Amino acid sequence: MRRREILDRIEKYVQPFRITKGDDFKLAGFDPGDTRGLRLDKGEARDLLQQGTEWLAEEQEMLYAENRWSLLLVFQAMDAAGKDGTIKHVMSGINPQGCQVVSFKQPSSEDLEHDFLWRYSKRLPERGRIGIFNRSYYEEVLVVRVHEDILKRQNLPAQLVNKNIWQERLSDIAHFEDYLTRQGTIVLKFFLHLSRKEQKKRFMERLDKPDKHWKFSPADVQERAFWDDYMHAFEEAIRATASERAPWYVVPADNKWFTRLVVAAAIVQAVEELNLSFPTIDAEKKKQLQTARAELGREK
Ligand code: ATP
Ligand code: MG
């Protein structure tokens, strides 16, 4: 299938979920079970995902060779929404040298001695690389917003902790992302949008299967009590930070195969827009290659 054709086909699985302007954004308009009428048994999803990941692998070679742009993929979600599996599937086939996954957990005491973006900026992708943030600076306006005792541990001067703090942080994040994009980092943000009901089902499955027990943490179940607070925090975050330059994708997450398809498609689309190519070489370099060939040819 021609590339143009694939791009046309994937647009309908990306466009409905891409948020580039947050003003009117409401999470309620998005159904976690949405599959755009697509059914896995058609084979189309698998087929598209496969093509998407192969394509991405090729684009990544060029990204690496050009060494100009970098790609930052931010993944945020409630537990069991499928961040890990999505990252694994979408990045399969990518040269590991050009790609780095960073998982952000609770901050260390050293992290807490710094401004809130410090630990994240240290792990940004270099030029030519794909950086994946499995959780990110958005935790600073999600879990920290939902549990204000975490904010207390951040040692901020008391005058700076007031009712504006979340809007201020969101504004700082939006500016930070503007800055990154002006430096040649493409920033794509994925919210894997899981329903509360599906989360319960997945937790139950983890409890039923011994090989999944390691993934289960009783604290995850306690967090369910704060579901509405989290959804509010996500909504506010998306409102304040969705932009053309650094879009959000609200990806339906109740069907894993569909989540993966949408994420892969969104990345392919964004990278394709860069019109990457392998660097060409100048006359001088061509001559050097000819000399090298001749030298190798003379070897006994
Ligand atoms: P897994 O799929 O393995 O459960 P995970 O990303 O949920 O992956 P955990 O170790 O279970 O990893 O959880 C990390 C925890 O760290 C989350 O509860 C998250 O909210 C918390 N966390 C991440 N960033 C921050 C932060 N900046 N401040 C406080 N807590 C944070
Ligand atoms: Mg967890």
Side-chain angles (χ1 to χ4, degrees), residues 35-76:
T35 59
R36 293 281 113 184
L38 194 64
R39 291 175 45 173
L40 184 60
D41 53 33
K42 273 196 208 158
E44 190 181 8
R46 260 184 216 285
D47 190 34
L48 272 176
L49 180 59
Q50 165 100 23
Q51 288 177 21
T53 52
E54 281 170 16
W55 186 344
L56 195 57
E58 285 172 35
E59 292 287 330
Q60 187 254 340
E61 295 283 341
M62 289 189 273
L63 190 83
Y64 191 84
E66 276 196 0
N67 203 33
R68 292 285 181 274
W69 299 97
S70 54
L71 186 60
L72 175 65
L73 308 174
V74 169
F75 287 89
Q76 287 292 158

Side-chain angles (χ1 to χ4, degrees), residues 200-216:
K200 178 176 168 185
K201 194 173 141 230
R202 291 187 189 174
F203 281 165
M204 287 292 202
E205 278 166 14
R206 286 183 183 180
L207 289 168
D208 287 344
K209 294 187 192 146
D211 63 337
K212 290 278 168 76
H213 283 170
W214 66 274
K215 267 207 163 245
F216 188 82

Side-chain angles (χ1 to χ4, degrees), residues 272-292:
E272 183 59 26
E273 270 180 29
L274 299 177
N275 284 319
L276 299 170
S277 60
F278 285 107
T280 49
I281 52 173
D282 57 20
E284 171 77 8
K285 185 87 195 252
K286 258 190 201 142
K287 227 164 125 195
Q288 286 172 2
L289 296 189
Q290 274 164 5
T291 315

Side-chain angles (χ1 to χ4, degrees), residues 79 83-84 104-107 119-120 135 139-140 143:
D79 275 299
K83 282 187 280 114
D84 294 4
F104 291 99
K105 314 267 176 184
Q106 278 148 20
R119 70 168 173 149
Y120 308 97
R135 300 184 187 272
E139 291 296 331
E140 304 291 338
V143 70

